[in-house]
Amino acid sequence: MSDRVSALDGASFKGQVSVRENGLRGMITLRGDLASEALRAVAAEVTRQGFPDRRGAHCAGETGLCWMSPDELLILVPHGEVAGALSTIGTALKGEHHLAVDVSDARASFTLEGEGAAIRNVLAKLTPADLRPGALPVGEMRRTRLAQVAAAVWFHEEGRAEVVCFRSAAEYVWGLLVNASEPGSEVGFF
């Protein structure tokens, strides 16, 4: 059996902002009734994060609970804890309509770090989403596209943002982020 590796093996780049591929990241898609007390409780239990409001992203360290749609959450846990989290979810939601799937190997994750306005400028080159701090505040997720591929973007804090995309598009998204971060390509939107 081969060892698991992330899409870009932790690649990093320093330009206007630092861009890095986050390596192996545990990700679970949980679909169900987000008003269900049992679903809300188990999602908070496996992540140790508060349940997010609409478009919210509550993340700290390697764990996170992100609102993806009216019936979908993205659960972030350390890669080695995915099987245990799925078991906990399955037990807690037994008999309740839901779907919990390990999507860790189907997604790639990138972190952008630097001055907040610089990160927003880099991302604004790639997405039609409104990235002004009032439109995309810290702790809120936006599902959008980066150039031609689907992605989700959120700010953990003003100087650190995360991007999640399909693993099959990881190299493409990496190229977009690096190119948009190249020194001398500043556009000054923010």
Side-chain angles (χ1 to χ4, degrees):
M1 177 180 242
S2 61
D3 292 329
R4 290 183 175 184
V5 295
S6 65
L8 300 172
D9 202 22
S12 63
F13 174 79
K14 176 71 172 131
Q16 294 173 50
V17 300
S18 296
V19 181
R20 84 170 177 278
E21 191 249 357
N22 290 326
L24 294 175
R25 185 86 185 263
M27 295 186 222
I28 297 168
T29 292
L30 176 58
R31 297 195 79 136
D33 179 3
L34 300 190
S36 160
E37 288 302 318
L39 185 144
R40 295 169 77 89
V42 74
E45 176 187 342
V46 299
T47 62
R48 298 169 300 283
Q49 301 295 327
F51 199 85
D53 291 329
R54 183 173 182 256
R55 292 194 315 249
H58 294 185
C59 303
E62 290 187 69
T63 66
L65 192 50
C66 306
W67 186 96
M68 298 295 279
S69 74
D71 70 345
E72 180 182 1
L73 297 172
L74 177 63
I75 294 176
L76 305 171
V77 295
H79 194 266
E81 295 179 15
V82 170
L86 284 169
S87 177
T88 299
I89 292 167
T91 299
L93 299 180
K94 185 173 181 152
E96 186 170 321
H97 180 75
H98 74 283
L99 173 69
V101 178
D102 177 0
V103 295
S104 307
D105 294 337
R107 305 283 187 272
S109 171
F110 302 91
T111 295
L112 286 75
E113 292 181 303
E115 198 265 316
I119 295 171
R120 290 179 188 276
N121 276 317
V122 166
L123 291 170
K125 295 177 192 178
L126 306 173
T127 180
D130 186 348
L131 298 176
R132 291 173 298 148
L136 183 61
V138 170
E140 185 173 295
M141 174 179 277
R142 180 76 70 238
R143 290 180 79 169
T144 185
R145 61 183 166 84
L146 296 181
Q148 300 299 315
V149 298
V153 177
W154 70 93
F155 282 80
H156 292 272
E157 56 195 56
E158 195 53 37
R160 185 166 57 100
E162 188 162 344
V163 173
V164 173
C165 67
F166 290 109
R167 182 184 177 114
S168 60
E171 191 169 348
Y172 176 72
V173 170
W174 171 256
L176 292 172
L177 293 171
V178 166
N179 187 53
S181 183
E182 283 289 343
S185 69
E186 297 84 359
V187 292
F189 291 135
F190 301 101

